[in-house]
Amino acid sequence: FQATVKEGVTGVIVNLTVGDRDDPATGAWRAVYTIINGNPGQSFEIHTNPQTNEGMLSVVKPLDYEISAFHTLLIKVENEDPLIPDIAYGPSSTATVQITVEDVNEGPVFHPNPMTVTKQENIPIGSVVLTVNATDPDTLQHQTIRYSVYKDPAGWLEINPTNGTIGTTAILDRESPYVQNNIYTALFLAIDSGNPPATGTGTLHITLEDVNDNVPSLYPTLAKVCDDAKDLRVVVLGASDKDLHPNTDPFKFELSKQSGPEKLWRITKLNNTHAQVILLQNLKKANYNIPISVTDSGKPPLTNNTELKLQVCSCKKSKMDCSATDALHISMTLILLSLFSLFCKSFP
């Protein structure tokens, strides 16, 4: 028997036919096939077709043309039921199956896959990440390979189409939404010069090491207090940082220099991430901006200078009315504009 199969393909490749003059559909007629030689890798299997009694020879593990272009199998067939005693001929028959494997253009393979590398975030644009390596399984065809970017979600990378060197085209950012668990994932293609060309895909995992590139943020940014409050502890402030330890807490909380001879508030640290703002006296109804700086523990440390908006409101019968504070500021603005207008008219 002769059979031809493409490499990389599985399934039935040939049907072996037998003749048996016993009564059909009995154990004396039904055939049992066995591969007795030529199948060391267990790439082939044979089963009986119950309707036709043919032996269906199948490829169950894809064949590789580059390893072997030809296979020769020796198949034995016998009945389910044993022959009666004293028969002159043997209980089984054999046949040879010659199988030819056809070459198929296979895609290049990356080594290893996935590829892993560790880099600091914020490395300079144009930095080399790594050079990938892909080989073509079609060793007898002597094809060339070119590389390209397949999926680069953040648009940070490029690849040399000839030598496979991957470099950066933008700043790598560990805090980017495209980075999951400190790992950035990109996909690359290796395309051979076959006709038609075949493609292999490689996965790159870049583990990004943290650097101190984010200032801490302060929350909340608005606080309210009654103008006649007895408890002058205004608000508990918290700080957070997108970076990792040791570039985050403990945070340092400070008040910027207060204008005027009289100090109106102070800030007290509660723990590594929180501080409390306390008024030193009751204030008149108005909006106040309290300048606060918060500094992380990175090397070098980063500082965020921000403002806490404090609304001093009137409180009557357990109801807080802060509308007057806004009206006060609007009124003061109108007064200043009016004065400025009069000044301009008096001194043209």
Side-chain angles (χ1 to χ4, degrees), residues 250-309:
F251 299 112
K252 181 181 179 182
F253 299 87
E254 292 180 303
L255 287 173
S256 301
K257 186 176 180 180
Q258 301 182 47
S259 59
E262 188 178 15
K263 297 186 183 299
L264 301 178
W265 41 69
R266 73 167 181 260
I267 192 167
T268 303
K269 183 176 179 179
L270 298 177
N271 53 38
N272 288 343
T273 57
H274 291 79
Q276 189 170 59
V277 175
I278 302 173
L279 294 183
L280 301 180
Q281 62 185 48
N282 288 109
L283 300 178
K284 295 180 180 179
K285 303 182 189 68
N287 285 339
Y288 299 87
N289 291 323
I290 303 176
I292 297 173
S293 67
V294 54
T295 304
D296 63 28
S297 296
K299 293 183 180 180
L302 295 179
T303 299
N304 181 16
N305 294 306
T306 185
E307 288 184 338
L308 170 68
K309 182 179 180 181

Side-chain angles (χ1 to χ4, degrees), residues 90-111:
S92 63
S93 298
T94 59
T96 300
V97 182
Q98 294 178 338
I99 301 164
T100 301
V101 182
E102 292 183 344
D103 192 16
V104 174
N105 189 24
E106 301 169 271
V109 178
F110 284 85
H111 306 280

